[in-house]
Amino acid sequence: MKLHYGRMLTENLDGQHGLTRERMHALTSRFPSVHAEVKTRRNAGEYGFYALGQQENTVRWIRRFAEGVGQAYDHVVVLGIGGSSLGVKAVINALKAPAWNELDDEGRDFFPKITVLENVDPSSIQAALKRIDPRRALVNVISKSGGTTETLAQYLVVRAWLDAALGADVAVRHLVFTTDPVSGPLRALAGREGIPCLEVPPDVGGRFSVLSPVGLFPAALIGVDIDALLSGARHAIARAEQADLLQNPAALYAGLLWTADTSLGARIHFVMPYSDRLRDFADWYRQLWAESLAKRLDRRGEPVFAGPTPVGSIGATDQHSQVQLFMEGPYDKVISFIRLEDPGPDIMIPTRPNLPPELSFLPGHSLGELLRVEQQATAAALARMGRMHCTLELPDLTTETFGELIMFYQLAAGFAGVWYGVDPFDQPGVELGKKLIYAAMGRPGYPAEAASPEAPTA
Ligand code: PA5
């Protein structure tokens, strides 16, 4: 993977916007202390996701299950939300054929279909349960805390659906939980009913967990090479060990975006892959960037109200919806393009007799080439308007490069936490919302008046 960041710099834009040489110098000079802080915090156990590159035992267990018992199921149903669903969806979208569930058995190489029940919207859940045969389904319930209301509600609905079709005893054989090794309601349920349980490492938070059993288990069940995924992740980690900022793409990316946000007024951070296969990745990025960096208090407990607004877009589609805003709207954003050098199997644009001149330039080119040219042209146009942007270039979208991309962003979020001076691993805002839901839904220990509209605000 390459990070092209030249067009974040004033000298390559309109001479007015972007980072000056002085700002770049300030970043490189400050980096040794940022790097050292990440190291200290890693040693203190805060950056648990670095260890996900090495999970031999977990990978062995998951592969054995996927290649053995896992073969008995036609459909994997994942229950989870936030960090427990977005990464799984990103992996499926990037690494399995489009419209996977619509392919026949042979088209799927006899791997199961997969459905992620993310929301608690009854219309989508009803439709999914109508479509899926419970006798052939394996349900993977994912919740790091084991206590998220949406996931537990999904579980109770899906469990009743399994029990009704199979009987409670057999239903247990159609369930695998992924949760904390010790605590939480899911862990307790699993112990009581003998449901197999995979562990989310306690020092890995939801949005950093896609390369833990949270993402690896469903991925392996549908035939993703999880060793390759982790090998890509290890590559990103190795580069993030570099103490020279210009050799450390994740830290540099985080530093550039932090400067753009906090010093240059660019508080909106778009990620715009030129690939439909990275559409769900862009959703995953939004959660990673938003929950990790948006904080009311800094590390010292002082108010900061930090946090860029992350947005996902897709090229070339959104050239026809958002690029007007990028070009002529306020100078309050940075666009990170993601480009694949090789988009995979390509389609040549065929010719036809008697084409009018407005069309005759297209035959002889390919759709992949058109996509690449569209990204380059959009980027060049933005540069002429003095708009900051950078490009992450992947040679192709393989399991390994996707593992590298995922880990690159997690590392960038980890470095960004230090650039911003906030804790990227907590989410007090989400936690408060969870508590108010408990109160409103009558969970013991959470007084109902706390959730009433009349309750005082903070
Ligand atoms: O990143 C996070 O920590 C959150 O978005 C969680 O993933 C989300 O709230 C779901 O939590 P859990 O996995 O505990 O059910």
Side-chain angles (χ1 to χ4, degrees), residues 67-263:
E67 286 158 18
V69 184
Q71 302 277 322
Y73 304 97
D74 288 345
H75 208 123
V76 177
V77 182
V78 174
L79 314 186
I81 197 162
S84 293
S85 66
L86 290 163
V88 179
K89 286 174 64 186
V91 170
I92 302 165
N93 179 208
L95 301 179
K96 300 315 291 184
W100 175 251
N101 284 355
E102 287 166 33
L103 300 175
D104 62 14
D105 289 347
E106 215 166 284
R108 298 192 320 276
D109 284 333
F110 299 92
F111 287 111
K113 297 177 181 176
I114 184 160
T115 299
V116 182
L117 293 186
E118 196 171 30
N119 205 347
V120 282
D121 185 332
S123 59
S124 5
I125 299 210
Q126 248 156 20
L129 298 186
K130 238 183 228 166
R131 220 171 39 231
I132 300 167
D133 179 356
R135 293 167 305 171
R136 312 283 295 161
L138 177 68
V139 179
N140 180 205
V141 189
I142 308 177
S143 174
K144 157 116 201 236
S145 62
T148 299
T149 307
E150 292 88 341
T151 307
L152 292 182
Q154 287 171 358
Y155 168 67
L156 292 174
V157 170
V158 170
R159 181 65 200 264
W161 169 77
L162 283 176
D163 283 5
L166 311 167
D169 293 345
V170 178
V172 166
R173 282 190 249 135
H174 290 250
L175 286 163
V176 174
F177 290 173
T178 307
T179 191
D180 184 88
V182 185
S183 63
L186 267 192
R187 172 60 61 180
L189 271 177
R192 215 173 303 142
E193 294 205 57
I195 296 167
C197 241
L198 283 154
E199 298 182 357
V200 189
D203 54 359
V204 176
R207 55 194 174 274
F208 291 86
S209 69
V210 50
L211 298 174
S212 80
V214 167
L216 295 183
F217 182 61
L221 287 170
I222 55 168
V224 171
D225 178 354
I226 57 176
D227 283 308
L229 204 56
L230 295 182
S231 148
R234 283 194 293 275
H235 188 57
I237 292 172
R239 297 180 77 183
E241 303 292 2
Q242 294 284 345
D244 173 357
L245 183 63
L246 301 184
Q247 300 300 319
N248 187 327
L252 176 58
Y253 179 72
L256 291 167
L257 291 192
W258 166 72
T259 307
D261 173 7
T262 56
S263 304

Side-chain angles (χ1 to χ4, degrees), residues 341-423:
E341 257 317 281
D342 173 0
D346 207 347
I347 299 178
M348 287 306 292
I349 303 175
T351 190
R352 298 179 62 77
N354 307 321
L355 278 181
E358 300 90 323
L359 278 185
S360 57
F361 70 98
L362 284 173
H365 296 287
S366 73
L367 292 184
E369 180 191 357
L370 177 58
L371 199 58
R372 199 167 45 244
V373 166
E374 295 220 27
Q375 188 274 324
Q376 286 163 342
T378 305
L382 287 177
R384 286 196 201 173
M385 302 294 274
R387 307 290 172 147
M388 285 185 283
H389 63 272
C390 57
T391 302
L392 286 164
E393 181 188 317
L394 273 66
D396 46 18
L397 189 56
T398 60
T399 311
E400 198 155 1
T401 56
F402 187 63
E404 185 180 354
L405 181 67
I406 287 272
M407 187 51 91
F408 168 86
Y409 267 93
Q410 293 188 170
L411 292 160
F415 282 113
V418 180
W419 289 116
Y420 277 91
V422 300
D423 181 352

